[in-house]
Structure formats: structure tokens, C-alpha cells
Amino acid sequence: RTDENGIPHIFADNEKDLFFAQGYITARERLFQMELTRLAGRGELSTLFGDAVLSKDRFLRTVGFHRLAVKGYEALTDEKRNIIDAYVSGINAFINSGETLPAEFAVLGAKPGIWEGRDSVAAGLLMAFSLTRSLYVDLVMYRIGEYAGKETAELLAPYYPSFAPTLTGKRMSPAPDRKFIKFPSKEPDKTGFSDFLQGEMPASNWMIFSGKMTESGKALFAGSPDLKPTLPALFYIMHIKGGRYDVAGGALPGVPGIGPLGFNGHIAWSAVNGRGDELDYFVEKLNPENPDQYITERGFRDFEIIDEVIRVKDKKGFREEKLRIRVSRHGPVISDVMPMAPDNTAMKWAAFDNPCIDLEGLLLMNLARNFKEFRNALNRVKTINLGFGYADKNGNIGWQFTASAPIRKKGDGSFPVPGWTGEYAWQGYIPYERLPYDYNPKSGYAASFNNDPGNAGYHLTHYYLFQRSIRFDNIMKDRGGEKVTLKDIKDMQLDTVSVVAQLWTPLIINACRNDELAEYAKI
């Protein structure tokens, strides 16, 4: 049934029927959105939009989302693979039902494709990749260093200032270790610079107060996993009940179960981007006598060559475009699909080494009843970099970071590095048990604003944010230990005070005080 808020509640006698129904209902409401996800995961957007998106397909094929999705699907347990299969069967049942399809298909003269289990895994991979902070920043910093000098680049490179609050109030992470390496390269892509310099608007948060900090004696939890605003929205709010599952929250269309925000009657959770730096760039040197080989510290090595064919919609129907992908020991060479990268640059992403079984972890989290089960579930989230907040019906609170944090032999991943020496190689990943987490902090509350957890004694990232955490700290200091009500936490969630504006507005007004337009900007 669909309630007065437009939220579907799905009831089934068993789990196979439950996830079949979830797939069917989600496709009924979000099929065109899901079709774009399916095509992106396969690198087949050109079959729908033609040359306008050919460059995107080249990028998606080069990174290899479909190849990774196949491996991830095979790595799942039989039980979780059966859940995905039931879900995609529901999607396909709607497609074949004869019901009216979204208008976009009629406008484009297209039909939706049939889903497979690997398409759901690809949807999770695309979400994980979208949360990668260093994807463009590393290349922008490289170009700044190339044209303005390494000192300027290192000055501008992101870092977490010493005055910024952490989740735990501790500060264990090491200081930045940056060395800018000069390589031969091509001219920068000005369009890429422009896209990056537009700035980053999305920023998630969660605030959790344990029972000892609230008037009711129950935990209070406000969470907002904000990403770019889209139409339709990224998540689809729904409630599913059948078998062991009775859970409500935000589902990712194309993925079974409830995703990074929800509750199940025992626990509640919400997530922020963990902002881990799990993607680096390695510049390879080629064998001057054989461009299909690259240099390593142990001599020449052959690139793995992957040949793919992209079907492109055109006025005559479809044509085929060939794509030749070179893969080094560090990953696919992305210079032809990322114009800001130096020549012969390979992308190293943690997902290349760790099969994406994140869907398995999220489904287990849907069933968790306490913090131990919550953490055990998130142990299987190897790709999506998130900081999950937790609260339960007994008043307990906590949080856990996820994904695969690389251990670098040298450097911190802030700039592209030489691939031919081996000195910057990754040496495995931080064990899950050592990833940042906390349970029932002494303060009685925890709040994340994409900021540093503070209890990791190793490098995770330079991409934490801190301005909103300063504002929250100020709020809590002003409260002086006063217990929190539901209204209080709502007011915190809807707070509009900006410490950035408090700092800069007076300076800007002063600098512009003699400008004839200044009177129009008075506040």
C-alpha cells in the first residue's frame, strides 16, 4: 500500500517475494532513472543518447565498472545473490508487464533493457565512485604545480587544519607528507579546470544523542546524507516487510533492500561521505621500442590489453566505435578519457583489488539488532566510503567508517606519482578492525559533518570538511550540557548559521564599502 506521503509499504510472506515486489514497485516509479544507471554501469549510454555521451562511455568502459560488477556479483554469497536475482526479476516483470512506461522512453524512441544481477552490483559501484574525492582534485593540484610551482600546489592542496574539531575530540592522524613530482605532460584541459573550480556543494551530516543526553531518555538521531539534488531524488523512501526483514528508509533504485539511511525497529542509521582517499594516479613510462610495455623497477612488463566495442546511436541506426584499453599493474590508463591527466597515467582505485560485495553488507545491516551486528555487517562494505552513524532503541549510540583504506609505501596520494620506480606502491589495506569507530562516547553524543574521526593513527585522507563541525561545537558549548529534546535536534538539523559567512562577510563589506553597488548587498 502507498501511504498519504506517497511512500510504498511492501508486505510479503517470504523474502524472495519481498525483493521481487521491491524490484517491481521501484521499476514502476523509477524505471528511467534505473535505465540510466544500468546503461552507465555497462558503458552503453551512447545507445540511448548517441555521440553526446560517447566520451562518458569511453570513460566508464576504461575504468571498467561492468568488469568489476561481474567480479562482485560472483563474490557474493549464494543467499545474497538470490536476493539480487529476485529483485531484478521484479524489475524485468514490470518491464514486461505491459504497464505504461515513463514518458522519456517515448520521447527518445527507446525501450528499457533487461536487468541482470551484475547491474545491481554496478549501481553500488557507481555510487561508490561518485563519492571519491580525489578523482579530479589530484589532477588539478598536479596542473597547478606544473604551472605555478610545487610550493604553490602544496600550499593549496587540501588538508585538515589543527583547529578543526574531530568526532572523538582526539587528533591522531599524521601531518601531510607531500612531494610534488614533475613529469612530461600535455596541455591542461581548461574545461576540466572550470568544472572543478565551480566548487562542491553537497555535504552530509548526522547528529546522535544517547539516552543520557536527552529529556526522554531515548536516543535522538538526525541524519541527512546529502548529495547533489536530482530529479527524481537519489534515494527512494520505502518500507519493506517479509521474512526476517522489516525495515524502512532510503533505497537506492536498482539495489535491493534499504541503503545508507534507515531503521528497523531495533536500530537506526544514516551515513556521510567518509571522504577517504582510495584513488591515486601513477604515471607510467613506456618501453621506447614497444608502446604495449611499460617500465617497472624489475624491467619491462606488458600492458593487459582489453578491446571493447561501443554501439553509438546515430541517424542511420547504430554504428560501432572501437576502444582499446591498456591496463598496468596500477590499473587502467585513463589519460585519453581524463584530459587533465599526464600522458600514460594509470588510475589505482581500491575497488580494483576488493570485489564489491557492499550490497551484502547493506542487506545484513538491514537485519542488525545491536552495535556488534551493525559492525559485523559493515565489514562487508569494501567499496563505498562512508561514515555510518548508529543509534538503538536502548539508547546506545555509535559510528563506523567503511571501505578499503590503502597503505601507501610512500606519499599520501595528493598528486600523481611515478609508476616506474615502485616506491609509491600500495602495500595492502588497513584491516577493518582498525578503521575508525566509536561506541557510547563519554560525551553522550556524536556528530559527523564529513570531518576527521580523530582516532585513526594513520593517513586516511586530506579531504575532510570542518566548517559545519565548528558550528556544531559552538552550539553545544552554548547549551552548556543542557539535555536535548526532539525540537532541539530538529533546530540543529535546520540551522542556517555559516561560520564561513561570519568570518568573511565583514571583510568583504569592508573591502567593498566605497563601491557604488555596496548598498544593494547590505544585510
Side-chain angles (χ1 to χ4, degrees):
R1 84 182 163 80
T2 301
D3 66 23
E4 62 275 11
N5 296 308
I7 296 173
H9 298 255
I10 300 171
F11 305 91
D13 289 336
N14 59 70
E15 292 173 12
K16 181 178 180 180
D17 288 354
L18 178 68
F19 291 108
F20 178 94
Q22 186 188 17
Y24 189 100
I25 295 299
T26 307
R28 187 187 72 183
E29 302 298 325
R30 298 289 191 92
L31 186 59
F32 187 71
Q33 177 189 23
M34 295 165 67
E35 178 67 359
L36 295 184
T37 298
R38 188 187 71 85
L39 292 174
R42 295 178 176 225
E44 295 179 358
L45 290 166
S46 300
T47 61
L48 192 61
F49 297 110
D51 283 303
V53 296
L54 178 56
S55 62
K56 295 188 182 298
D57 278 347
R58 290 183 177 276
F59 175 82
L60 294 164
R61 297 282 188 105
T62 299
V63 175
F65 291 96
H66 185 67
R67 298 190 295 273
L68 294 174
V70 171
K71 293 179 181 178
Y73 179 76
E74 293 173 350
L76 292 167
T77 63
D78 290 342
E79 178 192 335
K80 298 304 184 289
R81 200 181 302 114
N82 290 338
I83 287 175
I84 292 176
D85 289 346
Y87 181 84
V88 300
S89 293
I91 297 172
N92 294 329
F94 174 77
I95 292 172
N96 296 321
S97 68
E99 291 198 41
T100 302
L101 298 176
E104 291 92 340
F105 290 106
V107 171
L108 293 166
K111 295 181 179 179
I114 297 300
W115 275 67
E116 298 180 15
R118 55 191 175 180
D119 296 315
S120 289
V121 178
L125 281 161
L126 290 166
M127 166 62 77
F129 195 75
S130 74
L131 298 177
T132 302
R133 298 300 92 190
S134 59
L135 178 64
Y136 296 113
V137 179
D138 289 2
L139 301 180
V140 171
M141 289 298 103
Y142 170 81
R143 292 299 181 181
I144 290 173
E146 185 178 38
Y147 288 92
K150 67 177 183 179
E151 293 81 9
T152 301
E154 290 178 353
L155 179 65
L156 294 175
Y159 75 102
Y160 201 69
S162 59
F163 60 81
T166 66
L167 272 70
T168 57
K170 303 174 184 177
R171 184 171 296 276
M172 297 173 59
S173 55
D177 172 25
R178 297 192 179 114
K179 298 295 181 185
F180 183 81
I181 310 300
K182 174 70 177 176
F183 311 122
S185 61
K186 54 193 172 188
E187 289 298 310
D189 174 60
K190 294 181 180 178
T191 302
F193 270 99
S194 174
D195 289 344
F196 171 75
L197 294 174
Q198 288 177 5
E200 181 184 355
M201 298 302 295
S204 305
N205 69 79
W206 45 252
M207 295 167 282
I208 320 170
F209 295 88
S210 71
K212 73 176 186 180
M213 278 290 292
T214 66
E215 282 195 352
S216 66
K218 300 291 185 180
L220 285 175
F221 190 170
S224 181
D226 301 319
L227 292 169
K228 290 181 180 179
T230 60
L231 189 64
L234 176 65
F235 297 113
Y236 183 28
I237 305 300
M238 62 194 328
H239 169 213
I240 58 174
K241 183 176 181 179
R244 296 167 296 167
Y245 291 84
D246 186 359
V247 56
L252 185 65
V255 176
I258 299 300
L261 68 157
F263 65 98
N264 63 12
H266 299 274
I267 72 169
W269 64 90
S270 187
V272 301
N273 185 346
R275 305 186 75 83
D277 187 357
E278 296 163 342
L279 187 152
D280 287 352
Y281 294 102
F282 290 81
V283 179
E284 308 290 9
K285 273 187 180 179
L286 303 188
N287 179 351
E289 297 181 359
N290 183 356
D292 287 339
Q293 291 185 329
Y294 59 100
I295 300 174
T296 75
E297 63 275 20
R298 294 184 177 87
F300 296 122
R301 186 167 173 175
D302 291 336
F303 282 107
E304 177 189 356
I305 304 298
I306 300 174
D307 292 309
E308 299 214 7
V309 177
I310 303 174
R311 294 180 69 238
V312 184
K313 184 178 180 180
D314 61 20
K315 294 181 180 179
K316 297 180 180 179
F318 293 92
R319 73 174 193 277
E320 293 185 345
E321 293 277 346
K322 293 183 179 180
L323 177 64
R324 188 171 187 264
I325 303 166
R326 293 176 299 159
V327 182
S328 78
R329 59 180 174 172
H330 299 113
V333 176
I334 48 77
S335 302
D336 291 338
V337 294
M338 297 188 73
M340 278 195 294
D343 288 337
N344 301 307
T345 295
M347 173 192 289
K348 175 74 171 177
W349 181 30
F352 297 151
D353 297 330
N354 301 281
C356 181
I357 57 172
D358 296 35
L359 276 64
E360 186 171 314
L362 294 175
L363 286 166
L364 286 170
M365 184 175 62
N366 287 187
L367 299 172
R369 292 174 175 245
N370 53 53
F371 192 66
K372 181 179 179 180
E373 293 179 2
F374 170 79
R375 289 197 69 220
N376 287 341
L378 293 182
N379 187 17
R380 292 165 174 80
V381 179
K382 301 294 186 183
T383 309
I384 303 178
N385 188 285
L386 295 170
F388 278 93
Y390 165 97
D392 64 36
K393 66 180 183 179
N394 297 317
N396 300 300
I397 65 172
W399 50 268
Q400 172 72 55
F401 275 58
T402 66
S404 302
I407 302 171
R408 296 173 175 86
K409 187 175 181 181
K410 182 179 178 181
D412 61 11
S414 294
F415 301 96
V417 295
W420 58 89
T421 66
E423 59 183 323
Y424 293 91
W426 290 8
Q427 299 179 300
Y429 297 87
I430 300 294
Y432 177 74
E433 294 75 19
R434 292 186 59 210
L435 290 180
Y437 76 95
D438 200 8
Y439 183 59
N440 283 337
K442 291 182 180 180
S443 64
Y445 64 87
S448 177
F449 304 89
N450 306 107
N451 54 321
D452 189 340
N455 59 348
Y458 45 83
H459 173 68
L460 275 174
T461 182
H462 290 309
Y463 299 104
Y464 293 126
L465 302 178
F466 60 89
Q467 294 89 345
R468 289 166 296 129
S469 62
I470 292 175
R471 170 57 181 161
F472 178 77
D473 266 18
N474 291 339
I475 290 174
M476 295 308 296
K477 288 175 183 176
D478 290 342
R479 292 183 61 84
E482 180 185 354
K483 290 198 172 185
V484 178
T485 67
L486 180 60
K487 181 182 184 304
D488 291 333
I489 199 171
K490 284 183 177 180
D491 289 343
M492 293 178 195
Q493 182 70 60
L494 299 175
D495 180 71
T496 58
V497 174
S498 167
V499 296
V500 178
Q502 288 176 332
L503 172 66
W504 287 100
T505 299
L507 300 175
I508 294 170
I509 290 176
N510 183 58
C512 299
R513 63 186 182 278
N514 295 323
D515 192 292
E516 61 182 14
L517 296 178
E519 62 179 287
Y520 297 105
K522 289 180 179 177
I523 57 174

